[in-house]
Amino acid sequence: PSQLLEIIRKEDVVLRAILTTHHHWDHARGNEELAQLFPGLRVFGADERIGALTHRVTHGQELTFGAIRVRCLFTPCHTSGHMCYFMWEDDSPDAPALFSGDTLFVGGCGQFFEGTAEQMHTNLTQILGTLPRDTKVFCGHECTVRNLKFALKVEPENEAVKEKLAWARQRDDEDLPTVPSTLQEEFLYNPFLRLTEEAVQRFTGRTEPLEVLRELRSHRDNFKKPKERPHPQAMLAFDWGLFGPLLEKK
């Protein structure tokens, strides 16, 4: 959690609580260390496997941190205890925010490690998909380019996918984040939120939304990363023999 500690120091704030979406190490591995550094730290989550958990939350439960209000949204599938957090401030002009962990990504959704297509369908259509359309989506990983490459395979004529992919590639090249998006945008290019679209159904060979989702996730799980072109500077270095000493056999 070194980066978080640096932000805390820089912003001159006190860490009093952690909202953890699920127990996977890449989302919760710093909890124990932070709990030791900040006595009395409250760690919220819905899964007993979450490190240093102090407060187990349930679907629909609301929390308050100063002016910030939080609604806990239970979205089991990626893990059996996955919780998303919807946040807003009353009478604020700012759009609400969704911290979606590994359930909803920019251009994609999480793998069904501990759940079913039925659960993810409920998560996307009844729980997250019904939030205000201006909600900012803060997901747990920067996998936007890869997700949108798959989305383009699903809907090769979708201009929103093409534009978002071009934008995301440029952001990647500049080492800038692609998160957050908005829920409104996701409905334009995220195939997992477009289950009733003709092009998505044609790609999966299914028409019933649940079966479209099931087939779509299967295709995404088997989606191979296209071969990337070698970096031009790297190729030039090879041509000049600069890597020679590194490649010599012992």
Side-chain angles (χ1 to χ4, degrees):
S2 57
Q3 289 181 315
L4 176 60
L5 292 171
E6 177 60 24
I7 293 171
I8 291 171
R9 184 197 64 77
K10 196 173 181 180
E11 297 293 331
D12 193 25
V13 295
V14 178
L15 182 64
R16 300 197 184 279
I18 295 175
L19 302 176
T20 306
T21 57
H22 59 296
H23 74 283
H24 285 167
W25 68 272
D26 52 339
H27 294 261
R29 62 179 169 180
N31 286 5
E32 288 94 342
E33 182 179 344
L34 290 170
Q36 291 179 351
L37 293 172
F38 299 93
L41 181 69
R42 293 175 292 166
V43 179
F44 295 85
D47 194 321
E48 292 295 342
R49 293 172 292 180
I50 292 172
L53 183 72
T54 61
H55 292 70
R56 188 163 184 174
V57 292
T58 57
H59 180 66
Q61 183 176 344
E62 293 197 0
L63 310 170
T64 302
F65 302 95
I68 300 173
R69 297 181 64 184
V70 180
R71 182 178 300 131
C72 303
L73 301 175
F74 189 48
T75 54
C77 184
H78 182 71
T79 66
S80 60
H82 195 291
M83 186 71 74
C84 294
Y85 300 98
F86 177 68
M87 301 187 184
W88 75 98
E89 292 184 31
D90 290 330
D91 303 318
S92 171
D94 297 330
L98 171 70
F99 289 85
S100 58
D102 284 358
T103 294
L104 177 64
F105 292 120
V106 180
C109 79
Q111 291 181 271
F112 305 171
F113 286 138
E114 297 181 0
T116 65
E118 286 82 359
Q119 287 178 314
M120 186 58 80
H121 185 259
T122 297
N123 295 340
L124 297 179
T125 62
Q126 298 179 32
I127 298 176
L128 304 186
T130 57
L131 294 173
R133 291 299 177 97
D134 64 340
T135 299
K136 293 181 179 179
V137 179
F138 291 87
C139 53
H141 294 280
E142 276 279 350
C143 48
T144 302
V145 170
R146 183 82 190 282
N147 285 341
L148 291 172
K149 285 179 179 179
F150 175 71
L152 189 62
K153 182 179 180 181
V154 177
E155 294 188 273
E157 304 304 319
N158 187 327
E159 292 300 323
V161 174
K162 295 177 184 177
E163 292 175 10
K164 189 70 174 181
L165 177 55
W167 174 84
R169 280 174 162 154
Q170 183 171 349
R171 298 284 289 184
D172 262 15
D173 289 344
E174 297 172 0
D175 199 25
L176 295 172
T178 62
V179 177
S181 62
T182 67
L183 196 57
Q184 177 65 48
E185 292 172 346
E186 292 300 316
F187 278 103
L188 297 177
Y189 52 67
N190 189 330
F192 294 94
L193 292 177
R194 296 170 57 79
L195 305 176
T196 60
E197 294 294 323
E198 182 181 351
V200 179
Q201 294 183 351
R202 186 166 58 247
F203 175 82
T204 60
R206 303 286 189 272
T207 55
E208 202 281 315
L210 175 59
E211 296 308 315
V212 174
L213 174 61
R214 195 191 311 277
E215 193 69 21
L216 203 57
R217 185 64 251 180
S218 177
H219 279 284
R220 179 63 180 87
D221 289 342
N222 294 300
F223 182 60
K224 302 301 181 183
K225 186 176 181 181
K227 290 183 179 180
E228 300 286 350
R229 290 179 298 174
H231 196 280
Q233 279 90 347
M235 292 305 297
L236 195 58
F238 269 112
D239 290 342
W240 288 352
L242 297 182
F243 291 137
L246 299 176
L247 300 174
E248 288 179 358
K249 295 181 180 179
K250 292 183 179 179

